[in-house]
Amino acid sequence: NKFVKCHEYSTCPPEKMEEMLCCTDQCPKLISCGHRCSKVCHSGACSPIDQCKKKVRLTCACKRKKEEFRCFNVNAVENPVKCDDECREAKKVEEQASKKKQVEAVEDIYNK
């Protein structure tokens, strides 16, 4: 909290009034990307989304690959992290294992 003497506030020029009321902490409001505004406590509009510098971790569709980006670099484009050959190979191995389990389950049913 900030204490401002009444006399100092009431006699200051209008352009200084907002500055005197500022708590000097980071603005607590959220901008449209979901991160906090990067400006110091203020009235009026918050930082635009293209100035958000928070790091965000994105994953490819299968969630194997993870990469970090600055929010302003990715908030207006589709996910830049794409599955690669290793992802496709891992998916193929997973599908083969799943099919093998299904075959074994069917064989167990018929062998009983």
Side-chain angles (χ1 to χ4, degrees):
N1 290 341
K2 186 176 182 179
F3 178 77
V4 178
K5 293 180 183 175
C6 181
H7 174 73
E8 288 176 11
Y9 182 73
S10 61
T11 59
C12 78
E15 61 273 4
K16 286 276 194 179
M17 286 183 164
E18 183 175 339
E19 183 181 320
M20 289 185 80
L21 293 176
C22 176
C23 67
T24 68
D25 284 337
Q26 182 182 0
C27 175
K29 299 177 214 160
L30 299 179
I31 55 179
S32 59
C33 63
H35 295 117
R36 277 180 59 182
C37 173
S38 60
K39 293 181 180 179
V40 173
C41 181
H42 63 92
S43 62
C46 287
S47 328
I49 192 171
D50 63 353
Q51 290 180 3
C52 183
K53 294 181 178 131
K54 289 286 186 181
K55 285 185 178 178
V56 292
R57 181 173 287 171
L58 299 177
T59 62
C60 63
C62 74
K63 302 200 180 345
R64 191 191 68 76
K65 281 178 56 179
K66 297 170 187 70
E67 293 182 36
E68 280 191 351
F69 297 90
R70 294 281 180 189
C71 184
F72 71 88
N73 286 331
V74 296
N75 57 28
V77 296
E78 74 175 54
N79 187 351
V81 184
K82 304 293 182 205
C83 287
D84 59 11
D85 291 338
E86 288 183 42
C87 294
R88 288 183 273 284
E89 185 62 34
K91 185 176 180 181
K92 190 188 303 183
V93 168
E94 189 177 304
E95 287 172 352
Q96 289 171 346
S98 177
K99 285 180 184 178
K100 184 177 178 183
K101 281 184 181 180
Q102 289 174 351
V103 168
E104 289 172 354
V106 170
E107 287 174 351
D108 284 348
I109 290 171
Y110 284 115
N111 289 338
K112 285 185 179 181

